[in-house]
Structures are given as structure tokens and as C-alpha cells.
Amino acid sequence: KVARFLVAAENALLDDDFETARAYVDVAKFDAGRVAPVREAAAIVYYLSGDYEAALSELRAVRRMTGSQSFVPLMADCERGLGRPQKALDFIKGIDMNLLDTETRIEVLLVASGARADLGQRDAAVLVLQVPELNKLPDGDIKARLQYGYADALLAAGRREDANTWMKKASASDTNDTT
């Protein structure tokens, strides 16, 4: 029964019907609120619908339940969504980046760069993304996202020519049309 509600929520998300998706995950959560994947699904629906406070609450619960660090980027981005970029950066500072897999670490860096930009620290937003993975990762989603984020930060910092170069690199790396 719970699985059906989660599938129905996913289908509603595919139609950009956040209200219906939320209704389905809320029912699933009522029936199986102590099951981490149900809480994770609720967090994702809340996040996508812009309810960052509810998403953050659910992500904290999932992190406590599972001990997983994979939700750290989304948690920090919720702080940004709530208009608290400094709190996002403070949260990120408390994370041991060595415990994160490459993809999660890159996502954390992208959120940190965005938080710096939110604070008007455009050059710092660029610096956050100057990591070896810009060139060393194999082509694919995460490399394309990193390069795209870097290009975007460069553009925001007024470095249009550099941004154009990195946008082309991101396009070449984007084997799945992620960006």
C-alpha cells in the first residue's frame, strides 16, 4: 500500500503536480513514518515543491535514521532556500568531506558556491569550484554539473569569456543532457 502511494507521488511529480505528490507522500508517511525511504521520498517532494522547512525536517530525520551523508547537499540547499546562505555554509563546514563519495562532495561544493553567490561573494563562489575534478572526472552527469556550475559562477563574477569556455566544456562532458 505504501509503495503504491510512493509510486503515485512519483507519477504526480512527473506531471509537476506537487500538491497531489505531497498528498500521496503524506499518506505514505502516516502509514510508514518510521521507514527511512518513505521519509526520504517526503523530503524530496517537499523540496521540489519549495517547502524547504518541511524538507529539511524530513532530511534530518532520514539522516538520523540511516546515518547516511548523501543528504548533506540537499540539507544545505534547503538552508539556502530558506534564505539562510550563511547557515548553509556553517552546516557545510561541519561536514567531513573525506567521508563523502565524489558525487556527494561535488554537490556540496555546488551548494557552497551558490551560498557564496547568495552572499554576494562572487569571486569566492568561483574559488569554491576550482577543484581538480573539473578536468579529472570522466564525462557524465556530475562532471557536466560541476563544469556548468563553474561556468555559471564565472559568469556571475563578470568573467564572460572564461564562462563561455567552461560552458562549452560542460556541454562536451554532458553525455546525458543533464544540463
Side-chain angles (χ1 to χ4, degrees), residues 34-125:
R34 293 179 186 250
V35 178
V38 172
R39 301 292 288 271
E40 180 182 351
I44 291 168
V45 169
Y46 299 160
Y47 176 84
L48 292 174
S49 64
D51 188 349
Y52 302 115
E53 192 72 49
L56 187 56
S57 176
E58 293 301 321
L59 289 166
R60 286 178 180 145
V62 173
R63 189 173 181 212
R64 280 191 308 272
M65 295 166 96
T66 66
S68 174
Q69 297 295 321
S70 63
F71 307 104
V72 168
L74 206 53
M75 293 171 75
D77 207 38
C78 284
E79 293 291 1
R80 286 185 63 216
L82 290 166
R84 304 186 298 226
Q86 187 59 55
K87 193 164 183 180
L89 290 170
D90 293 342
F91 174 69
I92 289 169
K93 284 180 193 171
I95 301 301
D96 184 350
M97 297 291 268
N98 296 319
L99 297 177
L100 304 179
D101 61 65
T102 301
E103 186 171 339
T104 303
R105 194 168 64 73
I106 297 303
E107 292 295 336
V108 168
L109 292 174
L110 288 166
V111 173
S113 177
R116 291 284 177 201
D118 293 346
L119 292 168
Q121 301 169 359
R122 306 222 187 296
D123 291 332

Side-chain angles (χ1 to χ4, degrees), residues 7 9 13-14 23 34 63 75 96 102 112 114 139 141 165-166:
V7 169
L13 285 177
L14 292 172
R34 293 179 186 250
R63 189 173 181 212
M75 293 171 75
D96 184 350
T102 301
D139 286 349
D141 296 352
T165 298
W166 281 98

